[in-house]
Amino acid sequence: MAVIDIKRVHGGTIKSTKAAITRVATSLGAEYGVSHDWAGNTLYFERSGISGSIEVSKAELHVHAELGFLMGALKYTIEREIERLLDEHLG
């Protein structure tokens, strides 16, 4: 199983960062069928072949995703897309 693990410092509040992450998750949901749900300050997401979470703290966010066998072949492509979306929505 392939794993994506990204930690990123953010300059926003927890509330504004969660709002940005929600926009990203909604966009990914519409495009790729990824479902998501918040539990406290952690967004859990899932679709066939991938599941994970994005934990938001005061100064940092942590993306952790586990990829199934077929999605594992796309690990670096998926990781780059996550990085691009974080750059786009969090600055």
Side-chain angles (χ1 to χ4, degrees), residues 11 73 77 82 88 90:
T77 302
I82 291 169
E88 182 180 314
L90 295 173

Side-chain angles (χ1 to χ4, degrees), residues 59-76:
E60 183 179 79
L61 63 90
H62 179 206
V63 179
H64 179 83
E66 295 179 357
L67 309 175
F69 179 73
L70 294 175
M71 295 297 271
L74 300 172
K75 176 186 176 187
Y76 297 105

Side-chain angles (χ1 to χ4, degrees), residues 4 6 49-50 65 67 70-84:
I4 295 173
I6 301 169
I50 186 169
L67 309 175
L70 294 175
M71 295 297 271
L74 300 172
K75 176 186 176 187
Y76 297 105
T77 302
I78 294 168
E79 197 167 32
R80 281 194 309 267
E81 180 66 4
I82 291 169
E83 291 279 2
R84 185 189 71 76

Side-chain angles (χ1 to χ4, degrees), residues 1 14 21 29 47 51 58 77:
M1 178 184 320
I14 289 177
I21 296 299
R47 68 153 275 167
S51 64
K58 186 175 178 180
T77 302

Side-chain angles (χ1 to χ4, degrees), residues 3-73:
V3 174
I4 295 173
D5 198 59
I6 301 169
K7 291 186 179 180
R8 166 89 52 107
V9 173
H10 67 81
T13 64
I14 289 177
K15 183 177 179 178
S16 68
T17 303
K18 284 176 66 173
I21 296 299
T22 298
R23 287 191 299 274
V24 170
T26 301
S27 173
L28 290 173
E31 192 167 347
Y32 300 108
V34 179
S35 64
H36 66 277
D37 193 30
W38 283 99
N41 291 332
T42 303
L43 178 122
Y44 294 94
F45 58 88
E46 184 173 27
R47 68 153 275 167
S48 178
I50 186 169
S51 64
S53 62
I54 303 173
E55 184 178 349
V56 179
S57 66
K58 186 175 178 180
E60 183 179 79
L61 63 90
H62 179 206
V63 179
H64 179 83
E66 295 179 357
L67 309 175
F69 179 73
L70 294 175
M71 295 297 271

